[in-house]
Structure formats: structure tokens, C-alpha cells
Amino acid sequence: QVQLVESGGGVVQAGGSLRLSCAASGRIYTIGAMGWYRQVPGKQRELVADIISDGTANYADSVKGRFTISRDNAKKMVYLQMNSLKPEDTAVYYCNIDRLTTQTGPVLEVWGQGTQVTVSS
């Protein structure tokens, strides 16, 4: 069974930084895209950034230039470095991986449990 464990959330003042980490566990052979999404109450979950296996990254316009996504394929981890944080970045951040091949067969996608990020003004 594949699981994702996120860490690094917390409370920070506006202008500060946080680094989120997400570790995938289980008998995983390959992972397609790895990404971070966020959600605030009453709104749809939105993509923050994702990255494919060759390192090509994609960012939401609202975080370009402030956030950096990276991945370690050998460790099956994905990171999100968040700088110049704004109060509007406050949300629950979810890790997502998709198009896995595992010991038990292909898996479309897996979600983490979420980690709260709160940016105070």
C-alpha cells in the first residue's frame, strides 16, 4: 500500500518562509508527477505546483517566483520551498503523486493527509 506523509507546515508571519516535505512509502517502482495542492474552506482544491520525473516544474501564477518545487526520485520525496509568504497562502497543503507503478500494479494517484500552513499578517 502506498502512503504519503507530509511535514513542515506551521504558522509563520507574512514575508517568512516554510519548507514542506512529502515522503512516499510502499513498494513503488516509478512515479509520474509529484505535486502540491492547497485548499481553503469553501473553495476547491487548487494546484500549487507539480514536477515530473525529468524535473520540469509547473506553478500556479499566484506562487511563481516565490515557491520552488523539487523532488528526489531516489528517496521518493517531493519538497515545496515557500518564500515571501502572504496571508492568502494560508491553506491546507496536500501532497499528490500520480501514475505510479508499484509491486501490485499501476496506481492512478495518491493523496497525503494534508498539512496546515497559516500565514499571519
Side-chain angles (χ1 to χ4, degrees):
Q1 184 179 359
V2 177
Q3 291 185 321
L4 300 179
V5 177
E6 299 133 331
S7 60
V11 180
V12 64
Q13 287 191 331
S17 299
L18 284 174
R19 187 181 190 231
L20 305 182
S21 299
C22 174
S25 63
R27 297 188 181 276
I28 302 169
Y29 297 145
T30 61
I31 300 173
M34 307 181 80
W36 291 93
Y37 290 70
R38 66 187 181 188
Q39 189 170 25
V40 297
K43 291 191 175 181
Q44 283 192 322
R45 192 171 297 186
E46 64 174 5
L47 174 69
V48 176
D50 60 13
I51 183 169
I52 59 176
S53 56
D54 68 359
T56 302
N58 173 55
Y59 296 92
D61 287 343
S62 59
V63 306
K64 282 180 181 176
R66 300 187 298 122
F67 291 10
T68 302
I69 190 170
S70 60
R71 64 189 276 174
D72 185 325
N73 291 325
K75 295 182 178 179
K76 300 182 181 62
M77 294 194 68
V78 61
Y79 308 94
L80 186 68
Q81 178 66 44
M82 304 185 292
N83 298 328
S84 303
L85 282 160
K86 304 175 181 180
E88 50 264 43
D89 294 318
T90 296
V92 177
Y93 284 69
Y94 295 91
C95 178
N96 171 275
I97 60 175
D98 68 14
R99 291 170 284 130
L100 293 72
T101 58
T102 73
Q103 187 182 44
T104 56
V107 175
L108 182 59
E109 67 175 357
V110 182
W111 289 93
Q113 80 285 355
T115 184
Q116 177 71 44
V117 171
T118 302
V119 184
S120 61
S121 57

